[in-house]
């Protein structure tokens, strides 16, 4: 009988960014933005070569780089190959990009309006498809599971992580590659009214997978996905994820978030900041530029870097930030998911702690409610709160990312067969 997914975990991380190739490097860049000349743009050819990519747009090439990195990190692709080592129909793809192929679409429309469709190149025309990024990732690696492309505004990246996890939890696939990518060009700069150095040119990717299936193939998880919420405002979203005023260990804020009135101190009140002021804040866009549809995935990657630091003891025991003055202090240089903790799955103290109102905060709506879930709720102070969206546009999404508990049960209990689960 096929086992259910249990928790949904992150087993692979990939980045295609200038100056940051691991979660810890992204976290350090976010804490201490680099001054001086900008880093050289990321070169996709250095990772995936030039052959076969001449007519692909830059967003697609960046996404292919991040996806390859994540699949290899998850041990789904060998270091010397590109085909997955599991059946292709057990892997889905969810990509998020609001502006990725905007230049192709606009230039194609302009060419038709000014001349005719006869003048269009048959090699570049496929790039005008709205789902070209997700499709090419699937084609490149033989991934035959569900294939989704999200263009959902400021929350799109976190929405993509949620839908990737939903596919796994529902049994449609055993694992999914989630990609967030944006790039800048003349069309994007004109639309947004911003210069290239203010905008992201890069990609991030995660492999989300059912915990049981990750265990079954010997993969180690970097984090556990907690509950996801989508609300009309930031305060309501945070309250739904962390009821009762529980404080997370860290907060990855929406893009260029401006703090509200701080008169309430560490207490929440109407008009006050939704997270206690004692909680360290990180704005990933301060390091990589305005990230639009890629933001949520980038935030998850940086949060994995924070969880690895906390596990390694760089931060305070509560996970509430570095002990010597906040998020600006440095940490381990190798804190990516490959080397962030024990080989059997993460922190050894991932169970509940005694006392305090935060012990079960945000634990009621996660994906880990079935057999194989963690032995107890993770305290809020050991979780990373991630929020994306525009409070003024009534669209805010939030997600909790948790450390991975010790998984050392040699014979986990069987779960009921999920009717839509693929049999391989």
């Amino acid at each position: 009988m096929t086992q259910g997914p249990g928790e949904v975990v992150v087993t692979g991380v990939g980045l295609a960014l200038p100056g940051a190739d691991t979660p810890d490097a992204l976290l350090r860049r976010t804490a201490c933005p680099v001054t001086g000349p900008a880093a050289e743009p990321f070169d996709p050819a250095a990772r995936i070569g030039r052959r076969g990519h001449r007519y692909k747009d830059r967003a697609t090439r960046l996404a292919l780089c991040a996806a390859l990195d994540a699949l290899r990190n998850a041990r789904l692709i060998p270091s010397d190959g590109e085909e997955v080592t599991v059946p292709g129909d057990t892997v889905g793809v969810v990509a998020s990009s609001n502006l990725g192929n905007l230049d192709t679409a606009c230039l194609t429309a302009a060419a038709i309006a000014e001349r005719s469709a006869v003048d269009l190149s048959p090699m570049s025309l496929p790039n005008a498809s709205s789902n070209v990024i997700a499709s090419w990732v699937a084609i490149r690696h033989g991934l035959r599971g569900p294939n989704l492309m999200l263009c959902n505004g400021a929350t799109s990246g976190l929405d993509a992580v949620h839908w990737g996890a939903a596919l796994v939890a529902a049994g449609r696939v055993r694992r999914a590659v989630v990609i967030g990518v944006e790039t800048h060009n003349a069309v994007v700069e004109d639309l947004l009214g911003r210069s290239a150095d203010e905008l992201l040119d890069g990609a991030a990717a995660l492999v989300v997978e059912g915990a049981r299936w990750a265990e079954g193939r010997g993969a180690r998880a970097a984090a556990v996905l907690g509950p996801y919420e989508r609300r009309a405002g930031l305060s309501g979203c945070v309250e739904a994820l962390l009821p009762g005023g529980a404080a997370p260990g860290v907060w990855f804020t929406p893009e260029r978030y401006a703090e509200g009135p701080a008169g309430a101190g560490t207490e929440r009140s109407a008009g006050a900041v939704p997270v206690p002021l004692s909680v360290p804040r990180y704005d990933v866009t301060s390091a990589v530029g305005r990230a639009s549809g890629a933001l949520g995935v980038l935030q998850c990657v940086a949060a994995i870097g924070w969880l690895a630091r906390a596990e390694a003891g760089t931060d305070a025991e509560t996970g509430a930030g570095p002990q010597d003055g906040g998020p600006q202090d440095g940490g381990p240089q190798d804190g990516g998911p490959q080397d962030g903790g024990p080989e059997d799955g993460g922190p050894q103290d991932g169970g509940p702690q005694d006392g305090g109102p935060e012990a079960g905060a945000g634990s009621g709506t996660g994906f880990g409610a079935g057999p194989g879930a963690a032995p107890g709720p993770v305290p809020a102070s050991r979780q990373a709160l991630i929020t994306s969206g525009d409070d003024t546009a009534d669209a805010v999404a939030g997600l909790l990312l948790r450390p991975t508990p010790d998984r050392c049960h040699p014979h986990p209990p069987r779960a009921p067969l999920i009717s839509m689960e693929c049999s391989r």
Side-chain angles (χ1 to χ4, degrees):
M1 183 179 292
T2 304
Q3 293 181 344
E7 295 170 318
V8 177
V9 298
V10 178
T11 55
V13 177
L15 287 170
L17 293 172
D21 56 1
T22 67
D24 187 68
L26 177 58
L27 186 70
R28 283 186 280 112
R29 281 198 60 190
T30 302
C32 304
V34 178
T35 58
E40 289 294 318
F42 182 86
D43 180 14
R47 184 172 300 173
I48 60 174
R50 297 183 184 278
R51 186 174 182 180
H53 303 295
R54 178 179 177 184
Y55 296 103
K56 293 182 177 68
D57 59 37
R58 181 164 176 80
T60 297
R61 285 182 278 127
L62 289 168
L64 286 168
C65 291
L68 177 63
D69 202 17
L71 288 165
R72 283 182 173 163
N73 185 233
R75 300 179 183 177
L76 290 169
I77 289 180
S79 59
D80 59 348
E82 293 184 357
E83 289 292 320
V84 289
T85 55
V86 297
D89 54 6
T90 67
V91 190
V93 179
V94 184
S96 170
S97 183
N98 292 323
L99 307 165
N101 68 336
L102 182 66
D103 57 334
T104 302
C106 290
L107 293 174
T108 298
I112 294 173
E114 293 174 5
R115 297 183 296 276
S116 74
V118 177
D119 292 332
L120 299 178
S121 167
M123 303 302 295
S124 61
L125 192 56
N127 295 331
S129 172
S130 60
N131 69 333
V132 63
I133 295 170
S135 297
W136 270 121
V137 169
I139 292 169
R140 174 91 176 198
H141 301 295
L143 312 180
R144 300 189 300 275
N147 189 274
L148 306 177
M149 183 72 206
L150 273 66
C151 308
N152 204 29
T155 66
S156 191
L158 276 187
D159 294 338
V161 176
H162 164 68
W163 284 109
L167 288 172
V168 173
R172 292 293 306 278
V173 288
R174 296 190 172 190
R175 52 200 65 90
V177 185
V178 181
I179 307 148
V181 59
E182 298 289 3
T183 186
H184 53 67
N185 49 59
V187 174
V188 172
E189 293 167 32
D190 182 63
L191 175 69
L192 300 182
R194 300 184 183 280
S195 62
D197 57 5
E198 295 182 72
L199 304 174
L200 171 69
D201 178 50
L206 306 170
V207 174
V208 297
E209 185 168 5
R212 291 192 181 282
W213 301 317
E215 281 187 34
R217 63 183 187 84
R220 185 171 63 83
V224 178
L225 293 182
Y228 159 92
E229 288 287 342
R230 185 178 172 87
R231 295 294 176 101
L234 182 60
S235 295
C237 184
V238 172
E239 179 61 30
L241 290 169
L242 295 167
V250 67
W251 180 24
F252 290 87
T253 69
E255 186 171 87
R256 309 300 163 95
Y257 173 70
E259 299 278 5
T266 59
E267 298 295 327
R268 295 179 186 159
S269 64
V273 293
V275 175
L277 297 176
S278 59
V279 175
R281 281 108 156 105
Y282 288 93
D283 180 359
V284 175
T285 66
S286 66
V288 300
R290 295 181 179 271
S292 191
L295 176 58
V297 186
L298 284 163
Q299 288 174 312
C300 287
V301 173
I304 287 169
W306 180 85
L307 290 171
R309 284 190 180 191
E311 176 186 338
T314 304
D315 295 347
E317 280 189 11
T318 60
Q323 300 182 45
D324 300 321
Q328 284 74 21
D329 292 338
Q333 303 303 305
D334 55 353
Q338 301 94 322
D339 50 9
E343 289 300 320
D344 58 1
Q348 303 301 309
D349 55 352
Q353 296 179 1
D354 294 332
E358 64 182 23
S363 62
T365 59
F367 291 107
V378 178
S381 60
R382 298 188 64 230
Q383 302 182 52
L385 171 65
I386 302 169
T387 54
S388 296
D390 186 348
D391 215 10
T392 63
D394 292 336
V396 177
L399 175 73
L400 290 179
L401 209 61
R402 297 167 171 165
T404 308
D406 181 19
R407 302 182 188 280
C408 57
H409 309 293
H411 301 291
R414 288 175 177 262
L417 178 67
I418 297 176
S419 60
M420 299 181 71
E421 157 63 11
C422 46
S423 59
R424 297 191 188 184

